[in-house]
Amino acid sequence: MENLSFHDGNIFNLLHTRSQDPSHEVDQRMQLHSSLVRRLSQEQELEGHQGCVNTLAWNSNGSLLISGSDDLRINIWNYSSRTLLHSIDTGHTANIFCTKFVPETSDELVVSGAGDAEVRLFNLSHLSGRAEDDNAITPSALYQCHTRRVKKLAVEPGNPNVVWSASEDGTLRQHDFRESTSCPPAGTAHQECRSVLLDLRSGAKRALADPPKQTLSLKSCDISATRPHLLLVGGSDAFARLYDRRMLPPLTSSRKRMPPPPCVNYFCPMHLSDRGRTNLHLTHVTFSPNGEEVLLSYSGEHVYLMNVNNGTGILQYTQGDVDNLFSFSNNLHDVEYPPQVSTTPQNGFHRNCNAATVKKCTELVEIAKRSLEEGTDVFYAIEAANEVLDGHSNDIDSALRHECLCTRAALLLKRKWKNDAHMAVRDCHNARKIDASSFKAHYYMSEALQQLGRCKEALDFANAAQHLNPSDADIVAKVESIKRDLQAAGSEKNEETGAGTTRVLSLSDILYRSEANSDSSHDMSRSEREDSDYDEELELDIQTSLSDDEGRDPESNAMRGSLNLRIHRVGDDDKPMENTVDNASSGTASSSQNDRTSYQPEGAIDMKRRYVGHCNVGTDIKQASFLGQRGEYIASGSDDGRWFIWEKQTGRLMKVLVGDEAVLNCIQCHPFDSVVATSGIDNTIKIWSPTASVPSVVAGGSAGPATANVVEVMESNQQKLSRNRENPLSVELMQRFRMQEFAEGNFHPFECTQS
């Protein structure tokens, strides 16, 4: 794959074109050309913060960079000199999570949001004439109407008067500087701040078919640069939501909880739309530079690309489509999954393809098949198949496409990274669309469904494959294997039934139900909330034991030992938790059944590309970003301190860079230059530019030369994601304990942000 060219052309040809016919489009393509991306290296490290740097943003012309930190300060950096201009003492009392330059204000107005639930506006001109160490500014505006942490701010290009703030209290607020410059704290006697644009305190969904009910704790929001009436939000469930601000109701106060307004579109990969009770949530959502695509980054998951408009080639699915995907039927469902099966002329090829492209695609498929047979270089074989299916889907005939789909499905099932089996299901479905009697498509579909634990459906496909090729020894063994799995599952179920075993509720079930039963806490005053928040929901008594032969695992950086939890509601000491849960379970089940009967679920837009290799578990501020003015590359931070860059069109990994000693969270590309700024748990900001002498996939960073094999690095990250899946409450408990500390006043602002 090293010798395979990228899809942005030859940079020397671009330079020649620009010399003959200068145009803005050529400049955009030159900004982050593949040859420059593969030469990215750390140019400089900006020192000036005393805590984790949680947010970065450029001004509109790229002359200034703003950063916010756990040290409660906002820093303004000069881009050309790479020096610190201002370090502002904000007055926030908790970690700063978001900062922005306010557009069209000559970069004098900046805004910040923090864990103290406040939004503050500062005028940098007030610093003129002051001593260098006199950096405390009285806010020009102070908004205290949120009740929980403010995680993201959004501004509209060309609008100097309004900023939007997304908070974990489930509301997105619109602050207009022309109307007010302050508001009393939420819950006070005269608090009537009518700034709520989106009330999603009853907006979270566990699954696509479920009605929205619980609070959607907002983690991220973005406004389209090309169509600023479009607003994108993401939070504590699997669904990003697109709203048209022109269609939203008038601004309201938070006194009365409102039903969630209808959205234009839901965005969620189909395989994540019916996960039930897990800690799956979004950490970042963003529009592409042209506003036609959105990028979603999930905690404990991958990064996904989706189209905004529901047009040709865009899949909008319903719960019925999810069910049909796994069911065997000779009459295939009409839903189509990218890459699409295109209509071809009678000769089997498109008019615009050429022999060289077809030859290259054929060779790539052969490389992938050889890797499958030998069991080697599986990752690169999958990338070869991606190049054919995602890079040249219009240039190949249906036979080659079918062969490549089946080969990629088999490779995914061999690799077994998170959700690889779901991706294999998609490929097998598309292969069956091409050839309904394909043995390979049925065989690999049965394997994928077996890996997903859907043994009944797997047996249907295995039997069909055996009918297509009765003499194949592999399918005979597959049928027997699935039958054994079904028998084992049946025996286990019978044992539980015979012993009268009742379902043991997981801690996730209890926490989720507790959230649903304590929604009224959001409507309390701030003083009431600080006294009772979370204590009213649950109290966790924790006992730990650590023997001499147990201790810290140096590789996982985790403490090994035993953990015992005793759970009871405050004020219900005389009532066993088991009885409380059982009653709640009965009531909730009945209520849920009634809700499902009356609720008409919406559809959602499915993924068109997945980007894998990084790990997003440890923090919920981790970003995924489009790089360059054309957004042709995708970048994401990772829990291993690296950041990853992929080619958008094919998902091909282009670059892995070490940018932090612990966790890298923020990635912001310069508006015009071939420069990227990153930050994370370290107290510094790294500036990256294409200064390496030769192109490569791996380069050194602040932590020294990255000599580890790229695939080994990604394998390690996948293992972390799998551990998070097996123990999904680790992050949720960590977040709740930290919120408990904050409510009790035990919050330490200089500790690095891990949630």
Side-chain angles (χ1 to χ4, degrees):
M1 293 298 293
E2 279 289 321
N3 298 323
L4 192 62
S5 61
F6 292 93
H7 291 264
D8 53 4
N10 188 295
I11 192 169
F12 295 106
N13 293 338
L14 285 176
L15 289 169
H16 180 69
T17 301
R18 186 172 66 171
S19 66
Q20 292 184 330
D21 182 23
S23 69
H24 183 58
E25 180 183 358
V26 175
D27 288 340
Q28 288 181 338
R29 294 177 63 186
M30 288 285 297
Q31 181 191 1
L32 277 178
H33 189 273
S34 58
S35 61
L36 301 179
V37 171
R38 289 165 63 82
R39 283 180 167 82
L40 282 174
S41 182
Q42 184 177 315
E43 172 199 310
Q44 197 160 350
E45 193 168 358
L46 305 182
E47 299 180 356
H49 281 295
Q50 301 301 315
C52 311
V53 183
N54 304 318
T55 175
L56 298 172
W58 297 95
N59 66 344
S60 59
N61 63 17
S63 62
L64 299 173
L65 177 69
I66 187 172
S67 58
S69 169
D70 286 2
D71 62 11
L72 314 183
R73 303 181 80 86
I74 292 175
N75 284 358
I76 310 295
W77 309 84
N78 182 284
Y79 169 61
S80 59
S81 64
R82 311 293 204 266
T83 57
L84 179 63
L85 295 178
H86 306 291
S87 184
I88 303 167
D89 184 358
T90 62
H92 281 296
T93 57
N95 302 1
I96 297 173
F97 289 115
C98 41
T99 55
K100 288 283 188 182
F101 287 100
V102 179
E104 305 299 328
T105 61
S106 300
D107 301 320
E108 290 188 347
L109 294 184
V110 298
V111 63
S112 61
D116 56 11
E118 294 181 354
V119 176
R120 293 178 171 236
L121 178 73
F122 299 96
N123 192 324
L124 300 182
S125 65
H126 295 170
L127 289 172
S128 60
R130 293 194 181 191
E132 188 173 333
D133 58 349
D134 185 10
N135 287 315
I137 308 179
T138 301
S140 301
L142 173 59
Y143 303 102
Q144 299 174 289
C145 39
H146 282 297
T147 60
R148 292 192 178 176
R149 299 186 298 181
V150 177
K151 299 306 289 288
K152 192 67 70 173
L153 297 169
V155 294
E156 176 186 351
N159 187 342
N161 302 309
V162 182
V163 65
W164 291 265
S165 57
S167 168
E168 290 177 338
D169 63 12
T171 66
L172 185 136
R173 293 179 178 264
Q174 178 174 298
H175 310 285
D176 193 323
F177 311 141
R178 298 165 297 184
E179 295 182 356
S180 65
T181 57
S182 65
C183 61
T188 55
H190 303 289
Q191 214 291 326
E192 280 294 340
C193 181
R194 302 184 68 83
S195 63
V196 177
L197 179 64
L198 278 178
D199 187 348
L200 298 175
R201 290 176 293 175
S202 300
K205 295 159 64 77
R206 295 194 194 184
L208 183 62
D210 285 345
K213 186 180 297 184
Q214 279 72 34
T215 296
L216 181 68
S217 299
L218 294 178
K219 308 289 186 180
S220 185
C221 65
D222 195 24
I223 287 178
S224 172
T226 57
R227 291 176 288 178
H229 56 276
L230 294 181
L231 171 67
L232 183 68
V233 299
S236 55
D237 66 10
F239 303 92
R241 294 152 172 84
L242 179 69
Y243 293 94
D244 187 331
R245 291 193 286 122
R246 301 170 300 182
M247 307 300 293
L248 293 175
L251 299 178
T252 64
S253 71
S254 58
R255 289 285 183 175
K256 182 179 179 181
R257 186 181 301 238
M258 304 298 291
C263 62
V264 176
N265 277 324
Y266 284 99
F267 300 96
C268 180
M270 185 182 286
H271 59 280
L272 301 182
S273 66
D274 193 22
R275 286 303 183 89
R277 298 160 183 166
T278 72
N279 66 330
L280 181 68
H281 67 274
L282 288 155
T283 64
H284 191 70
V285 297
T286 186
F287 284 100
S288 63
N290 65 5
E292 299 299 321
E293 298 167 316
V294 296
L295 198 62
L296 312 184
S297 180
Y298 285 90
S299 175
E301 257 292 336
H302 307 296
V303 174
Y304 294 92
L305 179 73
M306 300 171 185
N307 276 47
V308 170
N309 299 316
N310 186 26
T312 304
I314 309 306
L315 171 64
Q316 187 165 20
Y317 65 92
T318 64
Q319 183 60 44
D321 298 321
V322 179
D323 298 334
N324 286 328
L325 179 62
F326 299 106
S327 64
F328 175 78
S329 172
N330 289 325
N331 185 14
L332 289 173
H333 197 258
D334 290 335
V335 175
E336 179 92 22
Y337 301 91
Q340 293 184 35
V341 179
S342 304
T343 303
T344 60
Q346 291 183 353
N347 64 1
F349 296 97
H350 285 269
R351 293 187 181 92
N352 62 345
C353 75
N354 59 71
T357 300
V358 173
K359 180 181 178 182
K360 181 179 77 170
C361 291
T362 304
E363 291 174 350
L364 289 172
V365 173
E366 290 302 318
I367 290 172
K369 291 170 66 176
R370 187 162 55 251
S371 293
L372 177 62
E373 293 170 0
E374 297 173 355
T376 58
D377 296 328
V378 173
F379 173 78
Y380 295 108
I382 292 173
E383 286 204 331
N386 292 344
E387 175 67 20
V388 175
L389 294 169
D390 300 327
H392 300 283
S393 61
N394 293 327
D395 297 332
I396 59 176
D397 67 356
S398 57
L400 185 59
R401 183 181 294 107
H402 172 271
E403 188 68 18
C404 193
L405 285 167
C406 292
T407 302
R408 185 169 69 175
L411 289 164
L412 289 165
L413 294 171
K414 182 178 288 290
R415 187 174 67 175
K416 295 182 180 180
W417 286 5
K418 191 168 187 178
N419 290 327
D420 275 357
H422 283 285
M423 299 301 107
V425 167
R426 291 169 178 262
D427 282 349
C428 292
H429 183 91
N430 279 334
R432 292 178 68 224
K433 294 282 285 186
I434 298 172
D435 182 0
S437 60
S438 167
F439 169 78
K440 288 183 179 180
H442 287 81
Y443 176 83
Y444 293 131
M445 178 70 95
S446 68
E447 169 67 21
L449 292 171
Q450 187 180 21
Q451 287 190 17
L452 292 173
R454 292 178 169 266
C455 292
K456 185 177 180 180
E457 295 93 336
L459 186 59
D460 290 337
F461 283 96
N463 285 331
Q466 188 174 25
H467 177 75
L468 291 168
N469 190 357
S471 61
D472 187 275
D474 290 338
I475 190 58
V476 173
K478 175 59 65 181
V479 169
E480 294 303 317
S481 171
I482 296 172
K483 286 181 177 178
R484 286 194 298 271
D485 288 351
L486 275 172
Q487 186 177 8
S491 300
E492 184 178 344
K493 184 177 181 179
N494 292 334
E495 288 176 5
E496 291 179 356
T497 303
T501 305
T502 58
R503 186 174 77 89
V504 179
L505 289 174
S506 70
L507 186 54
S508 180
D509 295 338
I510 299 169
L511 290 174
Y512 198 92
R513 181 173 297 115
S514 177
E515 241 178 44
N517 293 338
S518 65
D519 281 341
S520 60
S521 66
H522 289 280
D523 300 323
M524 298 178 180
S525 67
R526 174 172 289 202
S527 59
E528 291 173 327
R529 178 177 54 79
E530 289 177 347
D531 290 339
S532 63
D533 194 16
Y534 290 100
D535 283 345
E536 182 175 282
E537 296 179 6
L538 286 175
E539 185 175 277
L540 305 180
D541 295 336
I542 302 177
Q543 295 179 339
T544 61
S545 64
L546 199 64
S547 62
D548 292 338
D549 59 343
E550 296 173 320
R552 183 173 298 277
D553 184 343
E555 293 185 0
S556 64
N557 197 30
M559 293 296 291
R560 296 191 179 277
S562 61
L563 175 68
N564 299 319
L565 299 177
R566 294 199 306 271
I567 306 173
H568 62 274
R569 296 186 186 280
V570 175
D572 290 341
D573 291 356
D574 297 330
K575 301 177 183 179
M577 186 62 186
E578 291 79 7
N579 293 340
T580 304
V581 171
D582 287 342
N583 292 337
S585 177
S586 175
T588 302
S590 175
S591 173
S592 177
Q593 185 65 34
N594 292 335
D595 288 342
R596 280 188 179 238
T597 302
S598 59
Y599 175 66
Q600 296 297 323
E602 302 93 337
I605 291 182
D606 196 14
M607 57 167 277
K608 72 172 185 179
R609 203 80 67 241
R610 179 178 71 140
Y611 306 97
V612 301
H614 72 299
C615 179
N616 180 8
V617 175
T619 62
D620 69 357
I621 58 174
K622 197 170 283 92
Q623 297 177 355
S625 303
F626 292 92
L627 298 185
Q629 298 174 73
R630 294 168 60 90
E632 293 181 334
Y633 304 99
I634 304 298
S636 173
S638 179
D639 287 357
D640 59 4
R642 294 174 172 86
W643 59 294
F644 292 69
I645 305 175
W646 301 271
E647 186 180 40
K648 184 183 75 173
Q649 183 175 351
T650 64
R652 177 181 172 186
L653 183 66
M654 295 187 61
K655 195 75 172 175
V656 181
L657 294 152
V658 178
D660 197 277
E661 295 282 354
V663 178
L664 195 143
N665 287 318
C666 304
I667 301 173
Q668 289 295 310
C669 185
H670 190 274
F672 309 109
D673 287 352
S674 306
V675 171
V676 181
T678 67
S679 67
I681 299 301
D682 291 350
N683 298 347
T684 59
I685 300 166
K686 311 326 188 277
I687 302 296
W688 308 81
S689 60
T691 55
S693 57
V694 294
S696 66
V697 176
V698 181
S702 61
T707 57
N709 182 279
V710 175
V711 177
E712 291 177 0
V713 167
M714 292 187 291
E715 289 278 5
S716 175
N717 284 335
Q718 290 299 309
Q719 291 173 9
K720 294 175 186 176
L721 289 179
S722 297
R723 284 199 296 267
N724 180 66
R725 175 180 56 193
E726 294 163 3
N727 187 18
L729 284 169
S730 57
V731 176
E732 183 174 355
L733 284 174
M734 183 183 296
Q735 293 172 352
R736 286 178 177 271
F737 290 150
R738 284 188 174 138
M739 289 297 291
Q740 177 72 32
E741 291 178 354
F742 180 76
E744 294 174 352
N746 296 327
F747 180 78
H748 302 288
F750 290 93
E751 291 182 351
C752 290
T753 304
Q754 295 284 335
S755 61

